[in-house]
Each structure stands twice: as structure tokens, then as C-alpha cells.
Amino acid sequence: MRGLNLKPARVYQTVSLLLESGSITRAPSWYKTIGSIPPAEILTRTQPVQHRQTTRKSKTRKPSKLFLPQNIEYEEDILRREFYRDHPWELARPRIVLEDDGKDGQRCDWSKLEQPGRQLSGESVVQRQLWLMNVAGMSNSQAYDIARKEFYAVRHEEEVERRVAKEEATWVGAYFGKGALEIGMEVEDKSYEDWRAWATTEVEAIQRRKDAAYTGFGTAHEDDALVDLDAEEDPEAVETEPVKTAVP
Amino acid sequence: MILRNFAVRHGRRAFATQYRNTFLRSLSIETETLLHETEAIAQSIENTTKETHSIEASINQLSIAERFVPPSDAGEEDHEVAANHNLLRTIRKRTHKLGSVPTPEYEPSELIHNPPRPKDITLELLMASQSHMGHSTSVWNPMNQRYIYGIRQGIHIISLEVTAAHLRRAAKVVEGVAYHGGLILFVGTRKGQSACVVKAAKLARGCHLFERWKPGTITNGNEILRKCAIRAVDRLDRDVDGFDEKIQNWTALKPDLVVVLNPLENYLLLHECGLNNIPTIGVIDTNADPTWVTYPIPANDDSLRCVQVIAGVLGRAAEAGQEKRLAAAAKGIVTWEPPKGLGLPVTEEDKVKAEKRRVAAAQREKEAAIEKDKQIKINAARRELYNR
């Protein structure tokens, strides 16, 4: 598969040559259509869509960077970064990114925070903030404060609803299983216990190896030297005393 | 009555595969012995059908068969059903304008049973179908640089306008090929693509493939497609009699246009098409090779929704082409040429004439032989006379 194979792109030209030379007498049924609709240009590089200002000194004007696609940036990106830096746990909430017909964004009216048919998330805060800045003419921090306070109010409402729903359910006889945090704690505890058991055996093994390194004289544990479980035996040890060894 | 129908249908299906002679010739064994075998098979088919006929005759004579009433269209009039239906219609007519207007929601099955048309291609539709999402920037094929709009969240974003333009071009090609009576093959071998591929092929009156492409299906078609039937049809797509023998000896058909929804997994298919000068259309992602196909459609091949939109649009375009072709045929304009070597169908008259000619030729031969005999005798007599 070395090199370029342009046979698919040159199907029409190939068949034209075959007809000319007389190798085939009848044109295939696709001949006229393909002839009237030439394939698109391929392999040539075009200047990519510019997403940022290029000055005289910018690296994009280097030949090696001239044809590279650029990063797409929006003004909301800064606002998003700020919001999620302040509220990292909002990133843990699952987001629905499915679009219905592609015009979902056009049906939003950001004079309110909550939109019908749209999930409330950090994105709503950012869009609301942008609306307040552009339409209501507020400053960045002013708009941010207003938008996020509206957001907190709605989230607080949701929390209260959840708590009250649980109370009502418990009142009429429902019982709940363990919550996510509880299960998480149990899993962590079990994980810790497993590690603890492993660590204990490891420590014992290390201790045994350390003690084995000092067999024979000069140690406080001469009895251990007698009951040496390691296979390697000193010939001197055999001569001095009968060593009781376990089966290796 | 019902038993007879069933037996004949079953019989046809069980024993209908007649191997084409082109397949037989392509084998390296002596063809004579195989022809004997096929004749033997044909004989056994006849015997079995005779057996089933005799069995069914004996079953039909049983008393149970007398009581059976087959289903028929002309049933009793059911006034209750008609009344209920009318009531439903009036209720609907009175109430359909009431209530709220729900926002258009995405219904996944809509893309299969009512796919969009080429005129429904909008940038919003393509974006909602996730066609702009390419692969990570590190696995791109730089040949696709001209199709990429920019980089967002570490992936290349395929330009929606480029996708729309290429898709419209491909739709025009498909419509044209269908109008000129070309055979279109839709291929989509990934999981979940079977439904849209089959639907597109149905609309295009073409062929579909949603399982692994067998290498050699085009280059070695006589072997691999030997069990596939070939039909001879007229300008209105009706079957024509009188080509049975020609069809038996016909080489395996090749598609006139191949639409591949996942070219990265079907390199061999595209290579075979290139060898046989068959134009191809393919969905090219940012990591795919645009030189593999004749008409690339830069789009996201990993999104099932995107693939369904593309297959749907191309299927609808082919459907439009077929409708135009049949409309022209109804007026008497045929937009295609029959394949070389097909000729005219063999009618009963032709058969009778051929038989007569054969008989006449045999007679002439016989007479010639008698004449020759006579002449030999005369010559012998003359020689005898001269020798005396």
C-alpha cells in the first residue's frame, strides 16, 4: 500500500481511455453521470478557517503552521472556566448533549435562567451571564453574581424538594437503601482492610528475610539460627551443631 | 388447495438453486461429468415433486380437507368497525388543533422509516447528527486538512458546510446512476448500520451488505456469487421470459456504484472496485484516507445518527432517480441500454421455428445421404461397364 492510489478518483478517465482504445465498446451506466458531476478536489491544502487574530509576528504565518487547523474559541470559554473553577462539583453532574433538530439553542431566551426542555447546569449560568453583560449592559462580575445567585436558588429548591420527597416517602412506608456516600465509604473501608492484610504479610516477609540475613553467631536470636527455614546452609553450621531444618 | 400451494412453494425454494454454467466452467474439473451430475439433480427434483404431488393428492382426499375454508378478501361487511372508524375521524378532525405545540423532538426510528431527503440537508441537521465530530488531533490524516474547520476539546471539527456540499454532490451522483438503470450497492458493516443500509437499498432498488465483505466478490464473482439469481427485466422492471438459457450462462453481475458507510473497515472492497473501475462513495472521517473513494463525504463515521442521515439521504436520492426512470419508461423513453450479448428473448415461435429448421436440416441430410448412395452405385455400375 505504498504511495498514492488514485484509481478511484480517476475512474472516469480510465474508462474514457478504454473506450477510446476500443478495449470496451459500451460505456457503463454510470459514465454520463460521473462525467457530468466531477469528483471534488482532494489532497490539496487550503488555508484553514482563522479563529484568532494574526499579527505580523504570530507563529501561524510560519509555513509549517500555515495549514494547521486552529483552536476554536468562544467568549463563553473564559466564563465557563471561571464558573467550573468555583464550582468543581458541577462537573460531576451528568450532562445531556443530545440535540433534537440542531435549532435547540435558537429557542432559548436567556432573560430567565431556566429554559423549558433544557437541563439546568453551569452552561445556563454562563449564557445568562452573557445575556446580562450584552443585553442588560452589566459588568462581568455583576452579571456573574446575579446569574449564579439565581442558580443557587434553583439548586437549593431542588435539594429541598429531594429532602421533602424522601420524608414524605418514609412517612408512607418507603425505605431507602444505602446512599452513594455510604456505599463509597464501605468500599473504601474494604479496600483499606484488604491493603492492611497485604501490608501485614509483607512486613512479616521482610522481617523474616532480614533475620535470615543474620544466621549464625553474633545475633540475639541464636535459637532462630537453629531453626533456619532457608534452604542454603552454611557447611560450618552443619559441622558445629545438628541443624533441624524443615522440608524446603 | 392450500396444501398444493405450500408444496409447490416449498419445492421451488428447496431445489431452485441451479448452478450457473459460468461457475461450472470456472472449476478445474471436467465439465462433462458435472453436466451429467446436474442432469441427475434435475431428474431427482422431478421425482420429488411427483412424490409431493401424489402425497398431497392423498391428503386432499381426506375428510378434514373438505372442511377447510381458505381466507378470502370478500368478507362480510362489518358496520361496527366502519362506524368506529368514522367516529375516530370526526374526533380527530375536531380536536387536532387543540392543545400545545410540542417542540420537535428527535425520534431515532424516524431516520430509518422516514429518512430525510437531499433537500432536507441543513447545517443544523448535520450538527444535531454529530457529523462535525472528528477524531483526536493526534490521529488525523493530513490529507483531510481541507475538510477541517478547527480544533475543539482535543478533536478536529469537520466543517458542516463541507459535509453538506459533498453530501449533496454524492446525492446527485446516486440519483443519476439510478436514473440510468445502474445497480447500486450500499455497504455498512458496523454494528447497528444494518437497518439504514437495508432501507437505503430498498429505496434504491439495489443491493445491501451489512456483514463482512467476502474478498473476491467482484474479482471472483462467478465463484462467490454462484448461488445468486439473475433476473432479466424490461423497461418497467417486469420479468421477461425467454432468457433462461442466457441467464444460466451469464457472468456474475458487478455493481455500478458502491456506497460505503465505513471505508476504514472495507479497504478490500474499495480496492476491488478500483480494479474494476467502479465508482465509490464513502464517509471519510478525519483519520480516513480520501483517496480510497471517488466521492468522499467528510463526516463522522463513528456516530450512528450521522451515518443514518447520510444513508437516508442517498437512499432517497436513488429513490427519486428510480421514480424518474420509471416515469420516463412509462412514456416510452428508456434511459439505459441492455447489456452486450443479451439480444432478444427466445419466444415459443422461435422455438417452433428452430425445431422446424432442425427437422428440415435432418431431412435434407437424409436425402443427401440417399443421393450419395445412389451416385456411388451408379459410379460403380459405370466402372463395371467400362472395365468390361
Side-chain angles (χ1 to χ4, degrees):
Chain A
M1 268 164 60
R2 253 177 85 101
L4 275 179
N5 178 21
L6 292 173
K7 271 186 84 69
R10 294 185 57 79
V11 148
Y12 181 76
Q13 288 87 330
T14 312
V15 170
S16 301
L17 289 171
L18 288 172
L19 283 167
E20 236 181 83
S21 70
S23 307
I24 54 175
T25 42
R26 231 179 247 186
S29 49
W30 51 259
Y31 188 71
K32 263 192 209 164
T33 312
I34 306 288
S36 62
I37 306 168
E41 198 177 317
I42 51 169
L43 303 180
T44 49
R45 295 190 298 178
T46 55
Q47 206 209 4
V49 176
Q50 301 295 302
H51 295 296
R52 40 187 354 176
Q53 296 289 342
T54 44
T55 58
R56 198 166 47 85
K57 287 188 124 191
S58 62
K59 289 225 175 92
T60 317
R61 298 180 80 236
K62 269 172 81 173
S64 59
K65 301 270 184 294
L66 196 58
F67 300 107
L68 275 184
Q70 294 181 357
N71 277 317
I72 301 167
E73 279 163 6
Y74 300 109
E75 48 180 331
E76 291 101 317
D77 287 344
I78 306 163
L79 308 180
R80 283 173 189 138
R81 227 170 284 143
E82 207 192 328
F83 176 84
Y84 287 110
R85 204 187 314 130
D86 296 338
H87 312 86
W89 279 99
E90 283 297 318
L91 289 166
R93 287 186 194 266
R95 289 280 308 280
I96 296 167
V97 293
L98 184 73
E99 294 255 337
D100 287 323
D101 61 351
K103 296 189 191 125
D104 304 35
Q106 295 167 20
R107 286 187 210 104
C108 293
D109 169 28
W110 293 109
S111 56
K112 312 184 283 290
L113 184 70
E114 288 184 281
Q115 303 297 317
R118 207 177 179 80
Q119 201 186 23
L120 178 75
S121 69
E123 189 55 32
S124 334
V125 177
V126 164
Q127 295 297 332
R128 175 91 178 106
Q129 184 185 354
L130 208 61
W131 186 92
L132 287 165
M133 281 161 65
N134 295 337
V135 177
M138 295 186 193
S139 76
N140 191 327
S141 38
Q142 255 186 311
Y144 183 50
D145 282 336
I146 293 170
R148 72 186 170 90
K149 290 203 173 131
E150 289 171 9
F151 178 73
Y152 296 158
V154 179
R155 283 278 188 243
H156 182 51
E157 252 184 65
E158 284 174 11
E159 293 267 344
V160 168
E161 267 177 38
R162 239 176 272 134
R163 177 176 59 81
V164 168
K166 187 169 177 178
E167 282 174 14
E168 286 180 356
T170 320
W171 177 250
V172 292
Y175 49 90
F176 295 89
K178 294 177 186 159
L181 290 172
E182 249 188 272
I183 293 172
M185 285 304 292
E186 283 185 6
V187 169
E188 277 182 37
D189 288 343
K190 177 159 188 318
S191 178
Y192 173 75
E193 290 304 319
D194 290 342
W195 171 84
R196 199 195 163 107
W198 171 84
T200 315
T201 48
E202 277 295 300
V203 162
E204 284 169 9
I206 288 167
Q207 197 60 42
R208 265 188 269 120
R209 262 186 253 126
K210 255 200 216 157
D211 297 342
Y214 294 102
T215 46
F217 39 91
T219 54
H221 307 276
E222 273 183 46
D223 296 350
D224 290 352
L226 286 169
V227 198
D228 199 335
L229 295 168
D230 285 58
E232 264 85 73
E233 291 165 17
D234 246 12
E236 288 169 53
V238 173
E239 280 177 340
T240 48
E241 268 162 311
V243 174
K244 281 186 204 160
T245 52
V247 177
Chain B
M1 203 164 62
I2 193 90
L3 283 164
R4 192 184 306 134
N5 287 341
F6 174 75
V8 168
R9 254 187 273 132
H10 182 70
R12 271 202 213 125
R13 219 175 271 146
F15 307 110
T17 52
Q18 286 235 303
Y19 291 163
R20 284 202 301 285
N21 290 346
T22 45
F23 157 63
L24 300 173
R25 260 186 258 123
S26 71
L27 299 177
S28 54
I29 318 163
E30 285 172 29
T31 47
E32 270 185 24
T33 46
L34 272 167
L35 281 167
H36 286 313
E37 275 178 25
T38 49
E39 275 169 22
I41 293 166
Q43 198 61 39
S44 71
I45 291 167
E46 268 185 61
N47 290 342
T48 339
T49 41
K50 276 183 200 156
E51 275 171 25
T52 47
H53 280 143
S54 64
I55 292 166
E56 136 214 323
S58 55
I59 291 170
N60 280 339
Q61 278 166 10
L62 294 173
S63 56
I64 311 166
E66 287 167 29
R67 275 179 247 141
F68 183 76
V69 179
S72 66
D73 289 327
E76 294 166 2
E77 281 180 28
D78 205 332
H79 298 288
E80 204 184 314
V81 169
N84 282 340
H85 183 67
N86 278 326
L87 180 64
L88 175 72
R89 282 178 60 207
T90 49
I91 290 169
R92 274 197 187 147
K93 199 170 158 191
R94 255 189 243 149
T95 59
H96 80 274
K97 285 199 180 133
L98 301 172
S100 58
V101 178
T103 48
E105 256 189 13
Y106 165 56
E107 180 54 57
S109 60
E110 191 85 14
L111 288 173
I112 305 292
H113 75 255
N114 186 24
R117 289 176 169 75
K119 65 173 167 59
D120 298 327
I121 297 172
T122 55
L123 302 186
E124 287 91 3
L125 170 68
L126 291 172
M127 190 197 71
S129 318
Q130 307 123 23
S131 74
H132 60 289
M133 293 179 189
H135 281 268
S136 165
T137 52
S138 52
V139 297
W140 78 317
N141 188 335
M143 286 198 233
N144 296 321
Q145 182 269 320
R146 56 185 296 129
Y147 310 134
I148 292 167
Y149 180 71
I151 301 171
R152 183 82 179 157
Q153 294 196 305
I155 61 163
H156 278 124
I157 303 295
I158 301 168
S159 173
L160 291 170
E161 284 142 340
V162 163
T163 307
H166 283 78
L167 183 55
R168 286 190 191 116
R169 188 194 300 251
K172 267 194 145 25
V173 166
V174 168
E175 187 180 340
V177 171
Y179 179 68
H180 286 107
L183 182 64
I184 304 173
L185 169 66
F186 286 86
V187 176
T189 51
R190 281 203 196 170
K191 200 171 149 185
Q193 290 180 353
S194 59
C196 65
V197 160
V198 167
K199 178 69 180 180
K202 243 189 220 160
L203 292 170
R205 295 168 196 244
C207 302
H208 64 257
L209 173 71
F210 49 79
E211 290 183 343
R212 185 182 155 267
W213 167 264
K214 287 208 180 98
T217 308
I218 295 177
T219 51
N220 193 15
N222 285 330
E223 170 81 28
I224 291 176
L225 299 175
R226 65 181 182 274
K227 287 190 186 165
C228 294
I230 294 178
R231 291 165 53 207
V233 295
D234 66 4
R235 65 177 191 223
L236 290 167
D237 284 1
R238 295 172 301 205
D239 277 303
V240 181
D241 295 321
F243 286 112
D244 296 320
E245 218 188 294
K246 287 235 170 84
I247 284 171
Q248 271 281 94
N249 299 331
W250 208 262
T251 47
L253 297 182
K254 291 179 186 166
D256 294 301
L257 179 69
V258 175
V259 178
V260 185
L261 300 176
N262 56 332
L264 277 176
E265 276 112 42
N266 289 301
Y267 173 70
L268 262 170
L269 159 59
L270 295 168
H271 182 69
E272 282 186 44
C273 291
L275 292 174
N276 287 273
N277 295 317
I278 297 169
T280 48
I281 297 172
V283 178
I284 301 295
D285 210 337
T286 51
N287 62 343
D289 194 332
T291 59
W292 285 6
V293 295
T294 317
Y295 294 92
I297 302 173
N300 184 6
D301 63 359
D302 298 298
S303 163
L304 195 56
R305 188 170 168 182
C306 172
V307 153
Q308 284 173 346
V309 163
I310 291 173
V313 161
L314 297 180
R316 283 284 191 209
E319 185 192 37
Q322 293 285 353
E323 274 169 16
K324 281 189 190 154
R325 175 177 69 82
L326 291 169
K331 287 191 199 144
I333 306 163
V334 186
T335 54
W336 46 272
E337 273 179 10
K340 212 178 151 197
L342 190 62
L344 293 165
V346 174
T347 56
E348 285 299 321
E349 273 180 32
D350 290 333
K351 285 189 197 151
V352 162
K353 276 189 199 158
E355 187 62 30
K356 273 196 193 149
R357 255 184 264 128
R358 199 184 58 80
V359 163
Q363 187 66 26
R364 261 184 270 123
E365 245 187 70
K366 217 164 126 188
E367 279 169 9
I370 292 167
E371 267 300 314
K372 203 171 166 190
D373 248 351
K374 229 197 259 176
Q375 201 62 36
I376 288 169
K377 281 187 186 145
I378 290 169
N379 286 349
R382 277 206 194 119
R383 243 182 272 124
E384 217 176 308
L385 206 66
Y386 288 142
N387 289 348
R388 265 203 231 138

